[in-house]
C-alpha cells in the first residue's frame, strides 16, 4: 500500500481564496482524521470520520472550514475564505479498529506527508 | 477532557547516551490507549510504540523502551544508546475508545555526534 496520500504538498494562496486539501486513506482503514499543526497550537484534531460519517467536528475552527468524505477512499478539507491565520501544516491520518482486549491494536494513526498551507 | 503534558520542550544529548522523554496524561476514561510518535526534520509523523490502559507491562523493542505507570498517569519513553538519526520531535498521544487522539506539545530531541 502506498500509505496515506495527501495533495497538494504545498499550497500558497492569497487571503480570501478557497483552498481544498485532499486525502486518500489506506485501503481498509475505517477511520480518517484531519489534524492541523502550528507552532503556537501544536497538533490539533479538526475532525474525524468513521466509515465515511463525520463523528466529531468539534475541532473545526469556524464555519469557514468544512470536510467531506464521499467514499471510503477520499476526503477533502476545504477552507473558504482562507485567512493568514489558517497557515499551517494539515495532516490527514487513517486507522482501523481491531476491538478490545489485551491483543487489540487500537487506533494506530498512519499519517500522510502533510499539506503545507501558506495564506498571504 | 483529555490532556497530555510533555514537560520537556527540548533535550540535547551526545550520541550513545540514553535519553528518557517524559509524558503525563489526564483522562476520565477507564479504557484508553497511549502512543509515541516521531516527527523527523522531514516532517512526517511516524508511529513508534503503543500501550493499552489495561496492560501496564513495560517492554523493550530494540533501542526503545517504555515505562507505563497508571498510578502516576505517566508513559515515559527511553531511547538507549542514542544516535544522530534519533534527532526529531517526539509526541506522546492519548486516544480514547473512539480513536480520538490528543497529542502533547512535543519534545525536541537533538543528538549530537
Amino acid at each position: 500500500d502506498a500509505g496515506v496520500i495527501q495533495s497538494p504538498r504545498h499550497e500558497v494562496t492569497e487571503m480570501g481564496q478557497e483552498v481544498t486539501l485532499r486525502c486518500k486513506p489506506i485501503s481498509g482503514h475505517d477511520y480518517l482524521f484531519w489534524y492541523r499543526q502550528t507552532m503556537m497550537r501544536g497538533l490539533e484534531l479538526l475532525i474525524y470520520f468513521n466509515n465515511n460519517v463525520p463523528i466529531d467536528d468539534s475541532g473545526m475552527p469556524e464555519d469557514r472550514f468544512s470536510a467531506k468524505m464521499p467514499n471510503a477512499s477520499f476526503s477533502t478539507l476545504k477552507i473558504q475564505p482562507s485567512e493568514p491565520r489558517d497557515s499551517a501544516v494539515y495532516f490527514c491520518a487513517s486507522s482501523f479498529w481491531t476491538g478490545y482486549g489485551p491483543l487489540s491494536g487500537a487506533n494506530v494513526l498512519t499519517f500522510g506527508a502533510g499539506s503545507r498551507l501558506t495564506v498571504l | 477532557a483529555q490532556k497530555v503534558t510533555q514537560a520537556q520542550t527540548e533535550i540535547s544529548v551526545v550520541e550513545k547516551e540514553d535519553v528518557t522523554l517524559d509524558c503525563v496524561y489526564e483522562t476520565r476514561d477507564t479504557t484508553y490507549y497511549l502512543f509515541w510518535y516521531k516527527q523527523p526534520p522531514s516532517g512526517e509523523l511516524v508511529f513508534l510504540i503503543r500501550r493499552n490502559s489495561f496492560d501496564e507491562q513495560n517492554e523493550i523493542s530494540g533501542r526503545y523502551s517504555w515505562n507505563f505507570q497508571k498510578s502516576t498517569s505517566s508513559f515515559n519513553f527511553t531511547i538507549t544508546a542514542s544516535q544522530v538519526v534519533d534527532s526529531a520531535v517526539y509526541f506522546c498521544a492519548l486516544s480514547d475508545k473512539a480513536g480520538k487522539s490528543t497529542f502533547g506539545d512535543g519534545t525536541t530531541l537533538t543528538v549530537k555526534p
Side-chain angles (χ1 to χ4, degrees):
Chain A
D1 200 318
V4 177
I5 300 174
Q6 290 187 246
S7 65
R9 291 294 312 277
H10 301 274
E11 174 89 7
V12 179
T13 190
E14 293 188 349
M15 184 173 63
Q17 296 298 306
E18 177 179 293
V19 173
T20 299
L21 307 178
R22 299 172 178 80
C23 176
K24 176 179 168 54
I26 291 176
S27 177
H29 281 192
D30 51 0
Y31 284 85
L32 184 139
F33 302 82
W34 282 100
Y35 281 88
R36 178 171 69 176
Q37 186 177 33
T38 60
M39 289 294 293
M40 291 297 294
R41 300 176 69 89
L43 272 162
E44 303 173 275
L45 176 64
L46 300 178
I47 185 172
Y48 78 94
F49 297 82
N50 178 219
N51 292 321
N52 313 337
V53 177
I55 303 300
D56 186 342
D57 65 355
S58 59
M60 295 287 262
E62 47 199 273
D63 292 345
R64 297 185 298 106
F65 285 70
S66 62
K68 295 182 180 180
M69 192 165 187
N71 57 62
S73 59
F74 184 65
S75 177
T76 59
L77 178 67
K78 186 175 294 186
I79 308 172
Q80 167 61 20
S82 59
E83 296 181 3
R85 59 187 168 138
D86 301 331
S87 297
V89 179
Y90 291 81
F91 286 100
C92 175
S94 69
S95 71
F96 65 96
W97 180 250
T98 62
Y100 298 89
L103 299 181
S104 71
N107 296 296
V108 174
L109 299 177
T110 301
F111 284 85
S115 294
R116 181 175 294 276
L117 172 65
T118 302
V119 184
L120 303 175
Chain B
Q2 296 185 325
K3 184 178 180 181
V4 176
T5 302
Q6 294 180 249
Q8 304 151 309
T9 305
E10 297 182 6
I11 299 177
S12 181
V13 299
V14 177
E15 204 169 22
K16 298 184 181 177
E17 285 185 10
D18 298 347
V19 57
T20 295
L21 308 180
D22 297 334
C23 174
V24 174
Y25 62 92
E26 295 178 26
T27 181
R28 293 182 179 180
D29 294 341
T30 55
T31 299
Y32 53 90
Y33 306 85
L34 295 160
F35 303 83
W36 278 95
Y37 291 87
K38 174 182 179 181
Q39 187 174 39
S42 53
E44 73 271 25
L45 282 153
V46 179
F47 162 74
L48 295 177
I49 58 174
R50 168 189 63 218
R51 183 53 53 186
N52 307 324
S53 59
F54 37 78
D55 183 2
E56 287 190 72
Q57 182 177 358
N58 296 312
E59 294 185 17
I60 298 174
S61 176
R63 295 188 299 110
Y64 299 156
S65 63
W66 51 95
N67 187 340
F68 174 34
Q69 292 192 346
K70 289 180 74 172
S71 60
T72 57
S73 297
S74 64
F75 185 53
N76 299 335
F77 173 61
T78 298
I79 302 174
T80 303
S82 59
Q83 302 174 1
V84 173
V85 293
D86 295 328
S87 296
V89 182
Y90 289 82
F91 292 94
C92 180
L94 168 66
S95 172
D96 64 13
K97 290 188 294 184
K100 185 176 176 179
S101 294
T102 300
F103 285 77
D105 290 336
T107 297
T108 299
L109 173 65
T110 302
V111 181
K112 300 178 181 178

